[in-house]
């Protein structure tokens, strides 16, 4: 009985973008190598201390070996292909190696970038942008034309034998053939389609990707999976404001307790008055939150500064807020002493916003400084001026 082969490493991958790992897994099959694999949970595993300790760049997939980690899909595939010098997976000559490198670059830039712009919305990995999708479809057709012309001259991309170039491009195209390359799209590219199916039917491919069924109708985009949904605009600022508000309230509390002991206690307010006061404060907070949300939305639509403040809905909400603030003292007139702490959350919220915008200005200035701008050019930058105006408005 032959001894079991030792694994050359553990390949960590994300399930939804498995095609990136399949290149290396198929290359390992062709080279007769053992490669362990482990699914990577971006929500949980990325937060573990040992992840960045062994993979500082934080890229997935990554190959964990006895000598360290190798990251990015094509670098891992190259490593696996070159582990055996006695196979032709990375070519038979120096010229072959150069041709393979050329096709690997072609795979990344001319196929994967536009194809995933088209396919990821269908897979629920990102939002669909119709204009970008249309341009991506044109770019993929252009790449297919180049593949078609190359495969008219030879059975595979670098001659009459399969190489890593074929493996990488077949893996990159697999989701496209399964999800969006309908018969009408495939019709002008018979050589490329025949080459794809020929590769997929090889046992080394089948053992990794299984049977690939060509789509009969292009699938439509679907809602983004929760794990891949981008954070809402302004979420970071809102979080900072929420964190800062309790601190401001905590600072205000000792001041309230610092009143002299000899000070007479205020007369107890009627139960109904306290309830009204609390209700008004809740309404003030709700309207304030509504104003902030609306301003973020208008900012995202391209409005800024005075145009946002002059927006009809903003003005209506501000009037409502002012009316509530006017009513607040009357509702809580009886309990004079507790009125002071009640104002703390609103002030704390504004302070938090001022701090958040100030931090944003500092970060932006550092970035512009790193890009070679300085002094007046930084201060005259449109985004800096917009943030400064926002800061002055808050103050």
């Amino acid at each position: 009985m032959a001894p079991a082969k030792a694994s050359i490493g553990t390949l960590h991958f994300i399930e939804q973008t498995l095609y990136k790992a399949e290149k290396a897994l198929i290359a390992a099959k062709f080279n007769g190598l053992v490669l362990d694999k482990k699914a990577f949970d971006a929500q949980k595993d990325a937060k573990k201390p040992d992840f960045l300790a062994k993979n500082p760049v934080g890229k997935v997939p990554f190959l964990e070996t006895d000598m360290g980690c190798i990251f990015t899909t094509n670098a891992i595939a190259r490593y696996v292909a070159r582990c055996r010098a006695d196979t032709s997976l990375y070519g038979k000559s120096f010229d072959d190696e150069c041709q393979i490198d050329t096709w690997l670059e072609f795979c990344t830039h001319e196929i994967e970038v536009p194809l995933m712009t088209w396919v990821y919305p269908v897979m629920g990995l990102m939002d669909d942008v119709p204009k970008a999708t249309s341009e991506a479809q044109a770019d993929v057709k252009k790449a297919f034309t180049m593949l078609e012309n190359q495969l008219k001259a030879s059975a595979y991309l670098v001659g009459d034998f399969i190489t890593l170039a074929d493996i990488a491009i077949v893996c990159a195209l697999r989701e496209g053939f399964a999800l969006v390359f309908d018969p009408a799209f495939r019709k002008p590219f018979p050589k490329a389609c025949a080459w794809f199916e020929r590769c997929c039917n090889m046992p080394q491919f089948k053992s990794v990707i299984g049977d690939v069924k060509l789509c009969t109708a292009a699938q439509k985009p679907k809602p983004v999976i929760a794990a891949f949904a981008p954070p809402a605009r302004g979420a970071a600022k809102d979080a900072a404001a929420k964190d800062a508000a309790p601190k401001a309230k905590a600072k205000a509390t000792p001041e309230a307790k610092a009143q002299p002991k000899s000070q007479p206690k205020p007369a107890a307010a009627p139960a109904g008055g306290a309830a009204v006061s609390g209700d008004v404060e809740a309404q003030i907070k709700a309207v304030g939150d509504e104003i902030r949300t609306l301003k973020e939305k208008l900012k995202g639509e391209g409005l800024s500064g005075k145009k946002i403040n002059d927006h009809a809905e903003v003005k209506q909400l501000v009037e409502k807020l002012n009316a509530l603030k006017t009513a607040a003292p009357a509702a809580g007139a009886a309990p004079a002493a507790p009125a002071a702490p009640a104002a703390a959350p609103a002030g704390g919220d504004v302070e938090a916003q001022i701090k958040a915008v100030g931090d944003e200005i500092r970060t932006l200035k550092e970035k512009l400084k790193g890009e070679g701008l300085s002094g007046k050019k930084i201060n005259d930058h449109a985004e800096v001026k917009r943030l400064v105006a926002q800061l002055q408005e808050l103050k």
Side-chain angles (χ1 to χ4, degrees):
M1 183 177 178
K5 293 180 180 178
S7 170
I8 63 170
T10 301
L11 182 59
H12 300 259
F13 64 92
I14 295 174
E15 194 69 47
Q16 289 84 356
T17 55
L18 180 59
Y19 81 92
K20 294 182 179 182
E22 289 170 345
K23 302 175 186 180
L25 293 169
I26 294 170
K29 294 292 183 183
F30 273 99
N31 270 353
L33 302 171
V34 176
L35 191 60
D36 296 330
K37 59 181 182 177
K38 185 177 180 181
F40 183 91
D41 187 333
Q43 299 296 307
K44 298 177 183 177
D45 295 339
K47 298 175 183 177
K48 293 180 179 178
D50 65 327
F51 168 56
L52 289 176
K54 61 189 175 186
N55 181 19
V57 180
K59 296 285 186 181
V60 182
F62 67 97
L63 177 63
E64 189 176 0
T65 73
D66 292 338
M67 303 297 290
C69 285
I70 301 167
F71 59 89
T72 75
T73 173
N74 283 347
I76 297 167
R78 283 185 173 103
Y79 171 83
V80 174
R82 286 170 167 164
C83 278
R84 290 275 304 269
D86 58 335
T87 69
S88 58
L89 204 58
Y90 216 82
K92 299 176 181 178
S93 66
F94 179 67
D95 183 63
D96 287 349
E97 290 182 13
C98 294
Q99 290 298 318
I100 291 167
D101 284 338
T102 297
W103 284 110
L104 290 176
E105 293 298 309
F106 176 85
C107 177
T108 299
H109 301 290
E110 309 305 322
I111 293 179
E112 290 187 49
V113 171
L115 180 56
M116 295 313 142
T117 302
W118 181 5
V119 169
Y120 274 9
V122 173
M123 297 170 69
L125 301 184
M126 65 183 241
D127 288 318
D128 180 48
V129 180
K131 186 175 185 295
T133 300
S134 177
E135 291 172 355
Q137 290 169 346
D139 289 340
V140 172
K141 284 183 180 179
K142 184 178 176 182
F144 257 95
T145 301
M146 295 182 70
L147 288 174
E148 184 73 11
N149 292 336
Q150 179 68 16
L151 293 165
K152 285 176 181 176
S154 58
Y156 299 97
L157 293 173
V158 187
D160 59 355
F161 57 96
I162 195 164
T163 67
L164 184 61
D166 301 283
I167 294 171
I169 293 179
V170 166
C171 289
L173 291 173
R174 184 173 68 86
E175 297 290 2
F177 272 101
L179 299 174
V180 295
F181 298 163
D182 58 19
F185 180 91
R186 300 194 299 265
K187 188 175 181 180
F189 313 111
K191 290 287 184 183
C193 292
W195 158 82
F196 176 83
E197 291 187 88
R198 184 167 64 253
C199 289
C200 288
N201 285 325
M202 292 181 178
Q204 295 90 341
F205 279 87
K206 277 199 168 187
S207 64
V208 175
I209 63 176
D211 293 322
V212 178
K213 294 182 180 179
L214 306 187
C215 80
T216 55
Q219 295 186 26
K220 302 296 182 184
K222 62 183 183 182
V224 179
I225 298 169
F228 290 84
R233 289 178 64 91
K237 292 181 187 176
D238 290 345
K242 286 179 182 176
D243 287 343
K247 294 177 183 177
K249 187 174 181 180
K251 288 179 182 177
T253 304
E255 291 174 10
K257 290 182 178 178
Q259 294 176 22
K261 291 183 180 179
S262 59
Q263 184 175 337
K265 291 182 181 179
V276 172
S277 176
D279 184 58
V280 171
E281 287 168 18
Q283 289 182 60
I284 289 172
K285 184 179 183 304
V287 176
D289 290 342
E290 196 174 347
I291 291 170
R292 280 189 290 278
T293 302
L294 177 59
K295 284 190 173 184
E296 284 294 333
K297 178 187 172 187
L298 295 173
K299 190 194 296 181
E301 293 173 358
L303 274 67
S304 61
K306 193 171 184 296
K307 289 184 179 179
I308 291 178
N309 293 332
D310 288 343
H311 190 276
E313 195 172 347
V314 172
K315 290 172 78 173
Q316 181 184 348
L317 287 169
V318 169
E319 286 176 10
K320 184 177 178 182
L321 182 65
N322 290 335
L324 286 167
K325 285 182 177 179
T326 303
D349 188 57
V350 173
E351 288 170 17
Q353 290 183 64
I354 290 171
K355 184 179 182 302
V357 176
D359 290 343
E360 196 173 347
I361 292 170
R362 280 189 289 277
T363 303
L364 177 59
K365 284 189 173 184
E366 284 296 325
K367 179 186 172 187
L368 295 173
K369 190 176 180 182
E371 293 174 358
L373 273 67
S374 61
K376 193 171 184 295
K377 289 184 178 180
I378 291 178
N379 293 332
D380 287 344
H381 190 276
E383 185 66 11
V384 172
K385 291 172 78 174
R386 183 186 68 76
L387 288 170
V388 169
Q390 185 179 345
L391 183 64
Q392 289 172 345
E393 181 186 336
L394 287 167
K395 287 181 175 179

